[in-house]
């Protein structure tokens, strides 16, 4: 990161300067894979926002007379073993998955950024203590840890959000700690300290802005990981209540009918796959654009 950009950061808030925002947008429009992924993501978000309005049926309406129906004009994606319309459940499931994933990512981002900044900036006992806690959390497989937390808390939207936040915050903290350790050695940080700037001011005005690029990349990719974790826990039957439409729970229910009604697993599986691939492509694309070590990626 050059001195001119550092000078701008010293004078401005934590937001990236407008010129660099424009350059970022320009680079995005030069990549067809990112444009396609952004369009698909906007479609998913639109579906999530308006799912109750565009769903043709009540997603929880049971109709045993029409159970396990093949896709038809009346039920475009068929019905499940209780006669519930699959299209309606998939549409509402998009709302469920994106809502929970957004909560998990932003809670994890806030907690991880705060912990990582404290550890990297203050060092010493603070760094040692936070680092050991991070190591403990990262030593457990994420899904197994979430299973244990859900076993204690029980199923529910808030409990699932809390359990996955406990699992995911540590990766943000470790990344942010590494960023702070690197950034705080820069001359403009030393100048700010010499000039009498407070710790919170330095972190907010100088350190966080210089870590935004990395935060954007890891946050985008983590959205896909969180959605996959939500589906995994629901597939195992401990994520959400039965009356909450969710793609993983639909996969679990449909696996009993793989031979007679494979569409009950195919369509929810496709939804999960698509949204995870979309976030992966967006994350990789932003890394390529924002990473100064990547060819053609430095916009700072």
């Amino acid at each position: 990161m050059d001195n001119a950009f550092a000078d701008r950061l010293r004078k401005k808030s934590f937001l990236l300067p407008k010129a660099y925002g424009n350059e970022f947008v320009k680079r995005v429009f030069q990549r067809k894979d990112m444009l396609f992924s952004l369009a698909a993501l906007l479609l998913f978000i639109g579906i999530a926002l308006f799912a109750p309005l565009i769903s043709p049926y009540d997603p929880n309406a049971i109709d045993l007379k029409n159970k396990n129906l093949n896709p038809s004009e009346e039920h475009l994606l068929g019905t499940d073993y209780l006669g519930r319309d699959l299209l309606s459940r998939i549409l509402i499931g998009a709302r469920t998955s994106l809502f929970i994933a957004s909560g998990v990512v932003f809670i994890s981002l806030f907690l991880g950024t705060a912990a990582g900044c404290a550890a990297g900036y203050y060092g010493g006992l603070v760094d040692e203590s936070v680092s050991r806690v991070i190591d403990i959390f990262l030593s457990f497989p994420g899904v197994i840890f979430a299973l244990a937390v859900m076993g204690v808390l029980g199923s529910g939207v808030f409990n699932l959000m809390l359990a996955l936040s406990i699992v995911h915050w540590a990766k943000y903290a470790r990344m942010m700690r590494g960023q702070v350790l690197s950034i705080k050695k820069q001359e403009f940080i030393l100048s700010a300290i010499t000039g009498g700037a407070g710790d919170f001011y330095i972190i907010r005005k100088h350190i966080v802005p210089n870590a935004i690029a990395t935060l954007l990349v890891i946050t985008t990719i983590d959205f896909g990981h969180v959605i996959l974790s939500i589906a995994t826990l629901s597939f195992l039957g401990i994520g959400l209540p039965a009356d909450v439409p969710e793609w993983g729970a639909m996969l679990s229910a449909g696996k009993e009918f793989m031979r007679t009604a494979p569409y009950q697993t195919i369509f929810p599986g496709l939804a999960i796959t698509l949204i995870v691939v979309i976030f992966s492509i967006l994350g990789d694309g932003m890394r390529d654009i924002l990473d100064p070590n990547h060819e053609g990626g430095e916009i700072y």
Side-chain angles (χ1 to χ4, degrees):
M1 192 168 294
D2 58 32
N3 292 330
F5 186 59
D7 290 339
R8 291 195 179 208
L9 287 176
R10 285 197 293 271
K11 298 176 182 178
K12 294 181 177 290
S13 67
F14 66 92
L15 295 176
L16 289 176
K18 181 178 179 181
Y20 298 102
N22 293 339
E23 180 65 19
F24 174 77
V25 173
K26 179 181 177 181
R27 295 286 180 89
V28 170
F29 274 90
Q30 292 174 349
R31 295 179 60 106
K32 293 182 180 180
D33 57 341
M34 288 195 70
L35 287 177
F36 176 80
S37 298
L38 281 172
L41 179 59
L42 289 175
L43 177 61
F44 268 98
I45 293 174
I47 289 173
L49 291 175
F50 300 104
L53 299 178
I54 62 179
S55 298
Y57 298 92
D58 182 345
N60 291 318
I62 297 175
D63 184 6
L64 296 178
K65 293 182 179 180
N66 292 313
K67 65 180 182 179
N68 296 328
L69 292 180
N70 291 325
S72 62
E73 291 185 4
E74 187 176 0
H75 298 279
L76 295 180
L77 300 184
T79 61
D80 65 6
Y81 70 106
L82 293 177
R84 297 173 297 190
D85 183 67
L86 281 179
L87 175 59
S88 299
R89 293 183 64 77
I90 289 176
L91 293 176
I92 298 296
R95 185 186 186 96
T96 303
S97 296
L98 289 177
F99 171 74
I100 296 176
S102 298
V104 170
V105 168
F106 288 117
I107 292 173
S108 301
L109 176 63
F110 175 78
L111 295 177
T113 300
C117 282
Y121 186 80
Y122 292 106
L125 182 60
V126 175
D127 186 20
E128 186 69 20
S129 301
V130 174
S131 296
R132 295 295 75 78
V133 173
I134 293 173
D135 290 340
I136 291 172
F137 276 86
L138 292 178
S139 65
F140 294 97
V143 173
I144 302 300
F145 197 4
L147 282 171
V149 175
M150 290 298 295
V152 175
L153 299 177
S155 63
V157 173
F158 177 77
N159 289 344
L160 178 59
M161 196 179 296
L162 179 61
L164 291 177
S165 297
I166 292 174
V167 171
H168 283 261
W169 75 273
K171 70 173 68 174
Y172 291 93
R174 171 165 287 183
M175 180 278 300
M176 195 63 191
R177 174 184 175 274
Q179 291 289 306
V180 174
L181 288 174
S182 175
I183 295 170
K184 75 175 186 178
K185 297 177 182 178
Q186 301 296 322
E187 292 183 2
F188 63 91
I189 298 294
L190 299 177
S191 299
I193 295 174
T194 303
D199 295 341
F200 181 73
Y201 179 87
I202 293 173
I203 291 173
R204 183 174 66 90
K205 288 284 187 176
H206 301 312
I207 292 179
V208 173
N210 284 274
I212 282 181
T214 305
L215 286 173
L216 283 174
V217 173
I218 191 174
T219 299
T220 305
I221 295 176
D222 202 38
F223 259 102
H225 294 166
V226 171
I227 289 175
L228 200 56
S229 297
I230 295 169
T232 300
L233 292 175
S234 296
F235 181 86
L236 296 174
I238 62 170
L240 296 170
D243 61 339
V244 179
E246 198 282 325
W247 295 333
M250 296 173 65
L251 279 174
S252 180
K255 71 180 186 295
E256 303 295 334
F257 307 95
M258 281 292 293
R259 293 187 177 182
T260 58
Y263 55 86
Q264 293 188 28
T265 55
I266 291 175
F267 294 129
L270 283 175
I272 296 171
T273 302
L274 285 174
I275 194 67
V276 171
V277 169
I278 286 169
F279 279 116
S280 295
I281 293 174
L282 289 176
D284 289 342
M286 284 199 291
R287 179 200 61 200
D288 295 343
I289 292 173
L290 296 172
D291 184 4
N293 296 318
H294 188 275
E295 183 179 356
E298 184 175 6
I299 65 172
Y300 301 138

